[in-house]
């Protein structure tokens, strides 16, 4: 499988295991933390993310809920597609409560689960909800890419006193990444609201989140052979978005391409375009911002169709060259 | 003079409106120990220049004149999956009676004042009034502790009061002022207090949240419970049944209470529900159907339900049969789907406040004058609260963006245009 190096010597850890370890450590650290969701306990998690936790912490802390898409006051959605049924609770009971009560009622909760397209799960199970949730004040929306992201951001999310929507990606669960020793310590957290520059470059800025960060890095490797150096930014947090990092990069490279798995209209890329226009980086753009997104259709089932519904590395390469007018 | 003379007879029964199971003198007070007006006036020979007035009677009367405690027969509850239900008799002390009266009358007057302020356009938006249903809020609170938890839907002003928020803070919240309980940021449907979670605008959404609160009680092992209220309209919602399932499965200490006021907005229960036996709708969860116009019935039933939960037997459903005098909200006159005669009939025969007052008067537990004094004091409190609610300033604009997140350093919030950068403080 793939892996990407990220610094001083360490271990190969899958995203799944990173999430599992993060939850384990946070459950141990704070008695008040508990996990609930469909199949999180005895099934060890539908995608095995919560494997072993029930054995260790028992019925009180790890709770299997019946199939019940609306009433999930707790933590895990089997996929975020199901969260649409509970979305009223996420927005109206969680996100808005602290504001409506003028600070009397905080809601420290994490809604986590796989988001976006998987493989062959078809239209009703493949939607990306980043834009939907990131639209709402009162929520934090986080979208990790690699194992370090998963671990550090999940710990931060659990420790946060506010509602956090934690968008994982099913296709990433089994992917291994090198993790530094530091990133494996019990108190390693990644601040919510800070993006990371995964690769330095000078010709064009690529901004992405979740799985597509990997695609951007692959595209960058190919483009580097042609002398085009891409700067790749991993958003890590969708809301609040770290616009400053994007702007700083654009002011250096003068070109911006956004890459996401979600649909184009009213999406993450659209928001980035709007924000860049409103800030100092606009004057540094030598070309309009380009958005690379999923195709504007419900997700088909057939393999070839599915592949062509989502951004591929070649689409990113093509878009970079168009943006650079090459 | 002692009231003990009248107490050698068995306790008096409730007024004629309710079922009589014992033959008692209709009005034991008629042969009471209270001296007549003339007798009292004649005793006061030290002030010959003062004219004889009924007012003197109040001054001369001592509190030992009143019956300190009476046991009333109350309506039997219909039971579902229960071998036995709440007791058929309720004890009421004078102090409790006056307290319940005070609570219900305050809620009544507060809601009527809200009606007035709404018509003057000082209150805007949604305003769902609780008058007619006071016995529910008062009876429930009488049976639980402030350390227990409560959550309800949008017809919430009464519960906001019984859970400890002042009339002043409630009215000021309705008028959207900074002195409101949510600093003017919540409005009618979003008022909160310790162990009171609102005030919820989305029909039925508060029920899963209520079960979550009960889960927290069970998780923390604190012997507290959660009272989770919903209406007859919400009772048909899917999320209620999902909640019933989990609450029963995990034996959550949750009292689910359906306030059946006969209409879901403008739809009578018969037109909305295939089964209007709301106390049975919990299926595998035991249930009680309770006379929600009688504060004592509500109290006894809630006590019974609370014991059930605290004993670890799991959740229980209570249906309170009640009635609202106003329409669904202030934009509903409330007469296109029901008759004025119906409303009038309930007012004259089953008003919760009148019923309690008549009971107490008939059994010499208090005097008419005392009730009047309480009314006057409440009127004054509500009037002052309304004054405050009208004159208090609106929350300041620089607090517009506050309270987005808890325990966070201040953050920047985009205003209506890109140059408008606002500040949000936790």
């Amino acid at each position: 499988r793939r892996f990407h190096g990220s610094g001083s010597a360490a271990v190969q850890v899958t995203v799944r295991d990173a999430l599992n370890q993060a939850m384990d450590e946070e459950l141990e650290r704070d008695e008040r933390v508990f996990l609930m969701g469909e199949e999180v306990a005895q099934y060890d998690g539908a995608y095995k993310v919560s494997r072993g936790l029930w054995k260790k912490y028992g019925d009180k802390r790890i709770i299997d809920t019946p199939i019940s898409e609306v009433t999930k006051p707790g933590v895990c959605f089997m996929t975020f597609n199901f969260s649409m049924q509970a979305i009223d609770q996420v927005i109206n009971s969680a996100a808005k409560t602290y504001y409506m009560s003028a600070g009397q009622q905080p809601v420290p909760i994490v809604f986590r689960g796989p988001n976006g397209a998987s493989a062959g799960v078809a239209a009703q199970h493949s939607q990306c909800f980043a834009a939907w949730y990131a639209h709402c004040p009162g929520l934090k929306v986080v979208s990790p890419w690699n194992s370090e992201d998963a671990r550090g951001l999940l710990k931060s999310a659990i420790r946060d006193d506010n509602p956090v929507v934690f968008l994982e990606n099913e296709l990433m669960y089994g992917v291994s990444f090198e993790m530094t020793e530091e990133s494996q310590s019990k108190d390693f957290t990644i601040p919510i609201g800070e993006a990371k520059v995964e690769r330095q470059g000078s010709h064009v800025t690529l901004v992405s989140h979740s799985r597509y960060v990997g695609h951007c890095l692959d595209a960058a490797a190919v483009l580097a052979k042609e002398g085009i150096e891409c700067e790749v930014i991993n958003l890590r947090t969708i809301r609040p978005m770290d616009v400053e990092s994007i702007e700083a990069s654009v002011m250096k490279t003068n070109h911006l391409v956004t890459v996401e798995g979600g649909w184009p209209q009213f999406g993450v890329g659209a928001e980035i375009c709007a924000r860049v226009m409103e800030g100092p980086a606009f004057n540094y753009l030598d070309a309009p911002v380009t958005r690379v997104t999923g195709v504007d259709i419900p997700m088909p089932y057939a393999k070839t169709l599915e592949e062509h519904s989502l951004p591929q590395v070649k689409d990113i390469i093509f878009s970079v060259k168009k943006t650079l007018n090459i | 003079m002692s009231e003990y003379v009248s107490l050698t007879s068995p306790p008096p029964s409730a007024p004629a409106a309710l079922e009589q199971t014992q033959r008692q003198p209709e009005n034991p007070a008629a042969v009471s120990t209270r001296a007549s007006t003339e007798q009292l006036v004649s005793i006061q020979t030290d002030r010959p220049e003062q004219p004889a007035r009924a007012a003197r009677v109040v001054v001369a009367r001592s509190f030992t004149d009143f019956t300190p405690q009476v046991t009333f027969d109350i309506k039997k509850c219909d039971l579902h999956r229960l071998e036995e239900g709440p007791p058929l008799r309720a004890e009421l002390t004078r102090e409790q009676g006056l307290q319940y009266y005070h609570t219900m009358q305050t809620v009544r007057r507060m809601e009527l004042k809200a009606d007035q302020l709404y018509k003057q356009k000082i209150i805007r938006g949604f305003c769902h009034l609780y008058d007619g249903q006071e016995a529910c809020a008062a009876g429930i609170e009488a049976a639980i502790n402030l350390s227990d938890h409560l959550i309800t839907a949008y017809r919430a002003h009464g519960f906001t009061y019984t859970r400890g928020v002042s009339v002043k803070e409630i009215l000021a919240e309705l008028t959207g002022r900074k002195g409101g309980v949510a600093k003017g940021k919540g409005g009618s449907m979003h008022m909160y207090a310790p162990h009171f979670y609102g005030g919820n605008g989305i029909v039925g959404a508060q029920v899963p949240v209520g079960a979550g609160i009960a889960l927290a009680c069970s998780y923390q092992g604190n012997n507290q419970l959660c009272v989770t209220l919903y209406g007859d309209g919400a009772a048909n919602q899917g999320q209620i049944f999902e909640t019933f399932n989990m609450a029963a499965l995990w034996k959550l200490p949750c009292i689910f209470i359906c306030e059946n006021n006969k209409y879901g907005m403008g739809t009578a229960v018969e037109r909305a529900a295939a089964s209007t036996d709301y106390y049975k709708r919990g299926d595998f969860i035991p249930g009680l159907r309770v006379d929600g116009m009688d504060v004592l019935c509500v109290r006894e039933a809630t006590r019974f339900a609370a014991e059930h939960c605290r004993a670890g037997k799991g959740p229980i459903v209570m249906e309170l049969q009640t009635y609202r005098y106003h329409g669904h909200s202030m934009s509903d006159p409330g007469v296109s789907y029901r008759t004025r005669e119906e409303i009038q009939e309930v007012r004259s025969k089953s008003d919760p406040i009148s019923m309690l007052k008549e009971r107490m008067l008939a059994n010499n537990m208090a005097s008419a004058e005392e009730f009047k004094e309480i009314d006057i004091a409440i009127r004054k409190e509500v009037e002052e609260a309304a004054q405050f609610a009208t004159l208090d300033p609106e929350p300041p604009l620089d607090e517009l963006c506050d309270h987005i997140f808890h325990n966070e350093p201040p953050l920047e919030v985009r205003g209506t245009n890109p140059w408008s950068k606002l500040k949000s403080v936790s």
Side-chain angles (χ1 to χ4, degrees):
Chain A
R1 287 293 219 118
R2 313 191 194 111
F3 40 93
H4 300 262
S6 63
S8 63
V11 197
Q12 292 286 327
V13 182
T14 62
V15 171
R16 173 184 292 117
D17 288 341
L19 292 167
N20 185 282
Q21 280 163 22
M23 283 198 288
D24 191 351
E25 285 163 17
E26 294 306 301
L27 282 159
E28 196 174 300
R29 177 179 177 268
D30 188 341
E31 252 257 308
R32 297 168 303 161
V33 174
F34 66 99
L35 170 66
M36 75 194 300
E38 289 175 8
E39 311 302 348
V40 295
Q42 297 187 20
Y43 199 85
D44 273 336
Y47 301 103
K48 306 293 177 242
V49 177
S50 57
R51 175 177 48 208
L53 295 178
W54 176 68
K55 274 215 177 71
K56 183 169 174 185
Y57 294 101
D59 283 331
K60 182 181 170 188
R61 315 279 305 280
I62 313 292
I63 304 171
D64 271 333
T65 58
I67 294 176
S68 175
E69 310 300 349
V70 177
T71 51
K72 288 193 184 172
V75 180
C76 171
F77 289 113
M78 198 183 283
T79 87
F80 263 97
N81 297 281
F82 305 144
S83 79
M84 257 210 292
Q85 294 203 305
I87 205 166
D88 167 61
Q89 297 287 356
V90 177
I91 309 300
N92 283 319
S93 299
K96 297 179 184 173
T97 297
Y98 195 64
Y99 185 87
M100 292 192 296
S101 68
Q104 283 176 79
Q105 191 58 63
V107 185
I109 188 169
V110 177
F111 301 98
R112 59 155 284 268
N115 175 59
S118 178
V121 292
Q124 292 182 348
H125 288 71
S126 305
Q127 187 172 335
C128 174
F129 285 87
W132 280 36
Y133 285 116
H135 186 58
C136 301
L139 280 185
K140 298 187 187 183
V141 180
V142 161
S143 183
W145 164 55
N146 62 10
S147 302
E148 183 181 301
D149 289 354
R151 186 184 159 76
L153 288 170
L154 186 54
K155 277 166 150 328
S156 291
I158 293 171
R159 294 181 193 193
D160 200 304
D161 282 335
N162 298 289
V164 181
V165 169
F166 193 88
L167 304 170
E168 300 163 8
N169 187 296
E170 204 250 314
L171 296 171
M172 296 303 292
Y173 283 150
V175 179
S176 291
F177 294 88
E178 231 173 68
M179 286 188 76
T180 63
E181 225 178 281
E182 188 222 339
S183 68
Q184 290 190 82
S185 83
K186 285 204 167 137
D187 279 313
F188 171 74
T189 57
I190 291 177
I192 293 178
E194 284 182 24
K196 183 180 178 201
V197 178
E198 298 286 351
R199 183 189 193 280
Q200 302 262 5
S202 49
H203 297 127
V204 60
T205 301
L206 296 177
V207 180
S208 184
H209 72 99
S210 187
R211 189 160 121 81
Y212 299 92
V213 175
H215 285 43
C216 288
L217 288 167
D218 291 345
V222 172
L223 287 162
K225 296 199 188 106
E226 298 179 43
I228 301 169
E229 291 301 327
C230 303
E231 181 143 291
V232 178
I233 297 182
N234 171 5
L235 276 176
R236 286 180 157 178
T237 301
I238 312 292
R239 181 180 182 118
M241 191 182 292
D242 182 0
V243 188
E244 286 80 23
S245 293
I246 302 174
E247 286 170 337
S249 178
V250 169
M251 295 200 284
K252 190 174 68 167
T253 66
N254 312 120
H255 297 86
L256 178 57
V257 176
T258 71
V259 183
E260 67 193 289
W263 293 315
Q265 301 196 35
F266 306 91
V268 176
E271 176 66 16
I272 293 173
C273 288
R275 298 278 272 269
V276 165
M277 281 214 294
E278 290 179 353
F282 173 71
N283 290 310
Y284 289 77
L285 283 172
D286 286 347
V289 179
T290 297
R291 296 179 294 160
V292 178
T293 69
V295 176
D296 205 5
I297 52 171
M299 181 65 68
Y301 169 65
K303 188 154 191 269
T304 315
L305 294 184
E306 187 182 61
E307 277 167 11
H308 283 82
S309 303
L310 293 164
Q312 300 179 48
V313 176
K314 63 176 166 70
D315 297 318
I316 302 173
I317 293 170
F318 173 82
S319 299
V320 166
K321 287 184 174 171
K322 286 288 265 187
T323 308
L324 291 171
N325 206 18
I326 295 169
Chain B
M1 290 191 295
S2 152
E3 81 279 24
Y4 299 110
V5 170
S6 66
L7 283 186
T8 52
S9 50
S13 59
L18 300 176
E19 279 172 35
Q20 303 267 358
T21 54
Q22 291 164 301
R23 279 188 296 121
Q24 293 297 330
E26 197 83 316
N27 261 316
V31 294
S32 80
T33 54
R34 272 182 276 159
S36 67
T37 312
E38 306 88 283
Q39 280 177 290
L40 283 172
V41 167
S42 68
I43 287 165
Q44 291 165 21
T45 49
D46 50 325
R47 289 183 192 174
E49 71 276 14
Q50 299 288 338
R53 291 233 163 141
R56 289 247 173 247
V57 173
V58 177
V59 172
R61 177 164 303 149
S62 78
F63 290 123
T64 56
D65 278 351
F66 296 119
T67 319
Q69 183 171 299
V70 175
T71 305
F72 292 100
D73 293 324
I74 53 175
K75 216 183 253 181
K76 183 175 189 295
C77 294
D78 293 318
L79 304 177
H80 171 68
R81 287 191 190 267
L82 283 166
E83 291 298 312
E84 44 174 45
L88 300 175
R89 320 189 75 199
E91 277 171 22
L92 181 70
T93 67
R94 190 183 121 82
E95 286 70 37
Q96 285 170 341
L98 291 174
Q99 192 206 318
Y100 303 160
Y101 179 86
H102 181 272
T103 299
M104 294 197 289
Q105 187 71 293
T106 303
V107 173
R108 174 69 58 92
R109 295 254 72 95
M110 176 179 75
E111 295 294 78
L112 293 179
K113 178 57 71 177
D115 167 281
Q116 199 180 49
L117 290 170
Y118 195 93
K119 285 169 177 156
Q120 293 174 292
K121 298 198 200 297
I122 302 173
I123 295 178
R124 323 170 299 130
F126 290 126
C127 193
H128 307 86
L129 298 179
Y130 199 66
D131 51 314
Q133 301 187 210
E134 297 87 353
C136 298
I140 291 168
E141 196 62 52
I144 60 174
N145 309 314
L146 275 174
S147 57
D148 290 317
H149 308 264
L150 193 141
I151 188 170
T152 184
Y154 46 77
R155 201 174 301 281
H157 310 157
F159 290 102
T160 313
Y161 177 74
T162 53
R163 283 266 102 187
V165 180
S166 67
V167 176
K168 187 169 134 179
E169 279 186 297
I170 294 172
L171 289 182
E173 187 59 37
L174 291 177
T175 56
R177 308 303 164 95
K178 71 179 190 3
V181 65
K183 304 192 178 148
K185 298 177 82 169
S188 167
M189 301 185 290
H190 308 296
M191 303 199 215
Y192 302 81
H195 294 220
F196 174 59
Y197 306 85
N200 288 276
I202 309 295
V203 173
Q206 76 280 6
V207 178
V209 178
I213 296 164
L215 175 65
C217 292
S218 144
Y219 188 96
Q220 290 169 15
N222 53 26
N223 202 34
Q224 292 164 6
L225 50 83
C226 185
V227 177
T228 301
L229 294 125
Y230 56 98
D232 48 275
N236 301 312
Q237 275 216 339
Q239 56 188 327
I240 310 268
F241 295 96
E242 289 187 29
T243 309
F244 283 164
N245 183 37
M246 289 193 212
L249 207 50
W250 300 332
K251 287 198 155 35
L252 299 182
C254 193
I255 304 177
F256 293 106
I257 300 188
C258 176
E259 283 182 293
N260 176 6
N261 61 17
K262 318 267 186 305
Y263 299 92
M265 279 186 82
T267 306
V269 293
E270 299 76 31
R271 291 204 300 134
S275 163
T276 54
D277 290 333
Y278 298 103
Y279 70 112
K280 289 187 185 169
R281 300 284 291 275
D283 189 7
F284 35 77
I285 299 181
L288 300 168
R289 181 158 55 191
V290 183
D291 178 2
M293 302 306 266
D294 179 352
V295 66
L296 294 179
C297 270
V298 177
R299 185 191 73 186
E300 292 308 310
T302 311
R303 262 189 198 153
F304 176 87
E307 266 164 41
H308 176 100
C309 285
R310 285 193 233 273
K313 295 182 185 167
I316 188 166
V317 174
M318 268 171 57
E319 177 189 339
L320 299 180
Q321 298 199 299
T322 182
Y323 198 84
R324 53 165 163 82
Y325 296 142
H326 269 84
H328 165 70
S329 70
M330 285 305 296
S331 55
D332 169 25
V335 287
S336 62
Y337 49 86
R338 56 184 188 173
T339 62
R340 286 182 209 275
E341 288 73 42
E342 179 189 279
I343 306 171
Q344 208 23 59
E345 174 148 0
V346 176
R347 248 191 228 283
S348 55
K349 300 218 176 107
S350 321
D351 183 273
I353 301 174
S354 305
M355 276 191 1
L356 176 64
K357 180 173 167 184
E358 274 152 30
R359 262 178 169 157
M360 289 181 72
L361 286 176
N363 291 278
N364 193 25
M365 295 179 82
S367 72
E369 286 76 16
E370 265 186 295
F371 284 118
K372 209 178 228 136
E373 273 171 22
I374 294 175
D375 288 351
I376 290 171
I378 290 173
R379 216 175 275 267
K380 181 167 181 283
E381 184 189 350
V382 170
E383 205 46 65
E384 282 170 7
Q387 272 282 79
F388 174 77
T390 310
L391 296 174
D392 199 41
E394 286 189 273
L397 277 179
D398 57 16
E399 286 177 23
L400 175 68
C401 300
D402 288 351
H403 308 121
I404 296 288
F405 291 132
H406 183 53
N407 274 347
E408 291 269 304
L411 57 120
E412 190 182 274
V413 171
R414 187 189 197 275
T416 58
N417 61 70
W419 296 274
S420 166
K421 297 183 201 299
L422 308 172
K423 184 166 159 201
S424 171
V425 162
S426 267

